[in-house]
Amino acid sequence: MDFRAGLLDQTQAFGELIRATDPSTPIPTCPGWTMQQLFRHVGRGNRWAAQIVAERRSQPLDPRAVRDGKPPDDPDAAIDWLNGGVQQLIIAVEQVGADARVWTFNGPRPAGFWIRRRLHEVLVHSADAALASGADFNPAPELAADAISEWIELMVVQADKHAPPVDRGRTLHLHATDADLGPTGEWTIGNDEDGLSWTHDHGKGDVALRGPVRDLLLAIVRRRRASELDIEVFGDEAVWDAWLQRTPF
């Protein structure tokens, strides 16, 4: 998957969705936020990541210190500001090298980490905007599947700082029903004597969720309940509930 092209495309689509919506529209999946605040959050986040990479930072950057972190009032200029932040990030990664290690909330990572992270950040916030405005949210299955993988990776690393989202000896399995995803459409998360880990292996799991990859994504990032989506849940639902309760971000 070309994460850079995906980030450019998804950001442009997000901007057009925002442009077509009243900026005061509330975002139910981000309580207390309006569409305008969601837009600013995404746009400033890209510039925040770009500055971290460009400065090869080893420490976090205060979001208030992001250069040009506020969008202009003019709608067209604001869209240019949004897309320009993505260009800044891509250029910064090219200049320092995708393998150069920089600060991330999960410890030092190659700078290219931020391209994929920001891609899936804007994808999930596109879902927020779509759900708030009544627009369609139909990402390409391959993109939604990688978003699930990236989210699970983040949560597995975050488990070192918090209670593990899957208890010792338990397993959670997700199975996308979309055609042609192959192994990338299955995820098994387990916690054994070696700790929390995940694979694309097929497995039964103590709890298993089966449905379209779009719906699995919305469920795992807590944008919709599984019961509200086209998802079948098999087994011990307490394992799934624990995952949701222990994976804030």
Side-chain angles (χ1 to χ4, degrees):
M1 181 179 296
D2 186 338
F3 296 128
R4 298 184 187 197
L7 177 57
L8 289 167
D9 291 345
Q10 290 298 315
T11 302
Q12 289 172 358
F14 173 76
E16 292 309 310
L17 179 56
I18 296 291
R19 191 202 295 270
T21 308
D22 185 330
S24 65
T25 301
I27 309 295
T29 48
C30 298
W33 282 15
T34 63
M35 197 73 76
Q36 184 177 28
Q37 289 169 307
L38 183 71
F39 176 82
R40 184 171 61 241
H41 170 77
V42 172
R44 183 171 59 184
N46 289 332
R47 290 170 181 266
W48 173 76
Q51 194 169 332
I52 288 169
V53 173
E55 297 176 357
R56 300 188 69 161
R57 294 183 65 93
S58 59
Q59 297 294 326
L61 173 66
D62 187 331
R64 295 170 296 182
V66 174
R67 289 188 293 272
D68 196 19
K70 183 179 178 181
D73 292 331
D74 177 75
D76 290 337
I79 296 297
D80 290 341
W81 171 85
L82 173 72
N83 294 323
V86 169
Q87 292 285 0
Q88 286 186 10
L89 175 57
I90 290 172
I91 290 170
V93 171
E94 289 175 347
Q95 289 179 340
V96 306
D99 294 330
R101 297 181 77 77
V102 299
W103 178 87
T104 80
F105 36 74
N106 279 345
R109 292 287 189 276
F113 163 95
W114 283 111
I115 301 287
R116 187 182 183 214
R117 171 83 288 273
R118 295 308 303 174
L119 165 59
H120 295 313
E121 177 83 357
V122 72
L123 177 66
V124 171
H125 285 316
S126 293
D128 293 323
L131 292 169
S133 65
D136 290 335
F137 176 69
N138 291 304
E142 301 81 16
L143 178 60
D146 190 69
I148 293 173
S149 297
E150 195 255 359
W151 181 255
I152 293 172
E153 289 171 12
L154 292 177
M155 294 304 102
V156 166
V157 174
Q158 288 285 320
D160 292 339
K161 306 173 186 177
H162 309 286
V166 177
D167 288 329
R168 179 65 65 88
R170 310 306 297 276
T171 54
L172 163 63
H173 183 69
L174 305 178
H175 188 136
T177 54
D178 306 69
D180 302 325
L181 282 178
T184 63
E186 295 200 51
W187 302 263
T188 297
I189 309 159
N191 189 349
D192 58 20
E193 62 274 9
D194 296 321
L196 194 68
S197 63
W198 76 279
T199 70
H200 280 303
D201 294 344
H202 177 73
K204 183 178 179 182
D206 292 295
V207 67
L209 281 73
R210 189 175 187 275
V213 69
R214 165 199 176 274
D215 288 9
L216 292 176
L217 173 61
L218 290 174
I220 202 169
V221 296
R222 300 187 303 280
R223 264 50 189 185
R224 282 287 185 267
R225 298 175 186 270
S227 59
E228 299 171 333
L229 298 163
D230 186 17
I231 292 176
E232 297 177 285
V233 182
F234 306 94
D236 188 352
E237 293 190 28
V239 176
W240 171 242
D241 291 340
W243 169 273
L244 295 177
Q245 292 166 7
R246 299 174 192 173
T247 52
F249 191 64

